[in-house]
Amino acid sequence: MIESGKIILKIFLAISSIIGVTACAGLNESDNNKDMPGTVAGLHGQLKVSGTMIVDQNGDSVVLRGMSLFWSQWIGKYYNKNCIKWLRDDWNCTVIRAAMGIEPDGYLENPTAEMIKIRTVIDACIDLGIYVIIDWHDHNAHLHTDAAKHFFRQMATLYGDKPNIIYEIYNEPEKISWRYDVKPYAEAVIAEIRAVDSDNIIIVGSPTWSQDLDVATADPINDENVVYSMHFYAASHKQELRDKAITAINRGYPIFVSEFGVCEYTGDGNVDYQSSGAWFDLMDQYKISWCKWSVADKDEGDAVLEDGADENGGWTDDKLTESGKFIKSEIIKRNKAEFGAQN
Ligand code: MG
């Protein structure tokens, strides 16, 4: 693209951002609208928390299972409708997590570019009748409170009336205080969302990379549609962390595993089938929804795609990594049993 073209594009994107319109041409065609019978969001509609479970518009429990995309600023090519449709149709995903990268080189520096990516995925999920997690993918969100408040107020205004939307306001706090850092941040951002959207579910992270559920649920958030995230990497995190989840559940709080891996905490290493099996048993037993990390063709164990896998989906088995083949079968097995064939 010539330089003047770039300038015109930048001006267009800046204006689009200001008025809250994205350049997602084609995404308004409702070829698979949520209101159509047969889609998951069409059948289950508005979700809410009931005790330790997520229930649908009829009060029946629902377990969502799907995939998290990778940090949007680094592997943004899979943030497109064709890819999401493939994950719905071939993988039976009922939820997609759009992991909008905040820093470095993310939303804080390039808000328009990242906004376009995440809105492309949100609009695709709404059109395709599945649920979508709007993830503020950040390890320092409590230092970016004003930006997060602004962003989530915008999201709630644009999408708060859609049953498909789930907000995840803080991916993974690190070793900071729940009481003095994470909880005040969460309360401030939740207030922004609730000023506009009174009901959609909000996922709240906890310190130590969203593992300190025992700490968070000892001093919980006062909102009836909050769930607590639990992140694990099966080769690194085992019974000690499962016990934290059980502690939270026994106190009566719901959990959403909005990100997990079947390899090591770094996202790399080998698949640990035994530990993964124990985690699946726990999530099945307590009806915990989950998203697996991640839709990426990066050279690491928990990336589900081989290098160069097409950004539009259509992946044959030889385009899936070992963890990719494993998780695809685990999603299909459970979601077909729960929701039946979607298409
Ligand atoms: Mg709402």
Side-chain angles (χ1 to χ4, degrees):
M1 186 185 298
I2 59 169
E3 201 57 35
S4 61
K6 278 188 189 169
I7 291 166
I8 291 166
L9 179 63
K10 279 187 178 172
I11 293 168
F12 169 71
L13 294 178
I15 293 169
S16 299
S17 174
I18 291 163
I19 62 175
V21 175
T22 70
C24 308
L27 288 182
N28 292 326
E29 306 154 11
S30 293
D31 56 325
N32 284 289
N33 190 280
K34 68 178 173 56
D35 296 325
M36 282 178 66
T39 67
V40 168
L43 285 169
H44 294 280
Q46 184 71 39
L47 306 179
K48 65 177 182 179
V49 170
S50 177
T52 62
M53 289 188 290
I54 293 174
V55 300
D56 70 6
Q57 60 192 0
N58 302 315
D60 298 324
S61 70
V62 176
V63 183
L64 303 175
R65 302 178 190 89
M67 289 299 302
S68 176
L69 305 182
F70 196 78
W71 297 79
S72 61
Q73 79 272 47
W74 289 318
I75 305 186
K77 64 184 176 181
Y78 298 110
Y79 283 66
N80 71 78
K81 187 176 183 181
N82 290 335
C83 177
I84 304 306
K85 189 170 189 302
W86 182 258
L87 287 165
R88 183 195 68 165
D89 294 347
D90 194 55
W91 288 49
N92 274 95
C93 290
T94 54
V95 59
I96 295 293
R97 179 179 186 239
M100 189 178 74
I102 304 305
E103 64 170 7
D105 306 324
Y107 174 79
L108 296 180
E109 281 183 51
N110 303 302
T112 305
E114 298 314 315
M115 183 71 99
I116 287 172
K117 290 177 206 163
I118 197 165
R119 288 199 60 189
T120 298
V121 172
I122 296 166
D123 291 340
C125 290
I126 292 169
D127 268 1
L128 294 166
I130 58 175
Y131 293 90
V132 58
I133 298 174
I134 303 176
D135 167 29
W136 183 267
H137 206 73
D138 191 358
H139 291 291
N140 298 297
H142 63 297
L143 304 178
H144 310 136
T145 305
D146 286 345
K149 283 167 64 178
H150 175 74
F151 171 78
F152 281 106
R153 168 76 77 133
Q154 228 180 334
M155 291 296 104
T157 302
L158 289 164
Y159 297 114
D161 62 340
K162 306 290 186 197
N164 314 70
I165 303 301
I166 299 168
Y167 308 96
E168 181 171 10
I169 59 176
Y170 196 154
N171 163 47
E172 290 184 353
E174 296 184 343
K175 289 184 173 291
I176 56 174
S177 164
W178 166 254
R179 176 162 297 185
Y180 298 109
D181 298 316
V182 183
K183 189 181 181 193
Y185 164 87
E187 289 174 330
V189 175
I190 290 168
E192 291 294 316
I193 295 171
R194 290 295 181 239
V196 182
D197 176 5
S198 63
D199 54 3
N200 282 51
I201 288 174
I202 300 173
I203 303 175
V204 175
S206 59
T208 320
W209 299 277
S210 290
Q211 296 172 11
D212 289 349
L213 290 144
D214 49 341
V215 176
T217 57
D219 178 18
I221 300 281
N222 181 26
D223 185 290
E224 61 188 19
N225 284 314
V226 153
V227 300
Y228 295 87
S229 63
M230 171 88 187
H231 290 185
F232 69 84
Y233 282 79
S236 302
H237 306 125
K238 301 185 178 176
Q239 193 57 45
E240 188 183 353
L241 190 52
R242 288 192 284 276
D243 288 343
K244 288 188 177 216
I246 293 167
T247 296
I249 290 165
N250 285 342
R251 286 176 180 156
Y253 296 101
I255 294 174
F256 200 125
V257 175
S258 54
E259 176 185 319
F260 77 95
V262 294
C263 300
E264 293 170 7
Y265 72 93
T266 57
D268 205 358
N270 297 320
V271 176
D272 186 329
Y273 290 99
Q274 188 177 9
S275 178
S276 297
W279 278 106
F280 283 127
D281 288 347
L282 178 91
M283 296 191 288
D284 290 344
Q285 180 183 350
Y286 291 104
K287 295 185 179 297
I288 298 170
S289 295
W290 49 259
C291 287
K292 160 79 167 66
W293 182 264
S294 69
V295 180
D297 62 348
K298 192 178 178 208
D299 182 20
E300 64 180 25
D302 267 311
V304 300
L305 302 174
E306 293 288 354
D307 185 34
D310 196 305
E311 63 189 46
N312 291 305
W315 312 308
T316 47
D317 270 5
D318 63 322
K319 291 295 181 191
L320 306 183
T321 61
E322 183 179 347
S323 75
K325 283 181 267 215
F326 175 41
I327 202 65
K328 179 184 171 184
S329 73
E330 296 296 320
I331 293 171
I332 289 174
K333 180 168 66 181
R334 288 173 175 78
N335 283 355
K336 280 202 167 153
E338 176 155 354
F339 297 100
Q342 290 169 54
N343 298 288

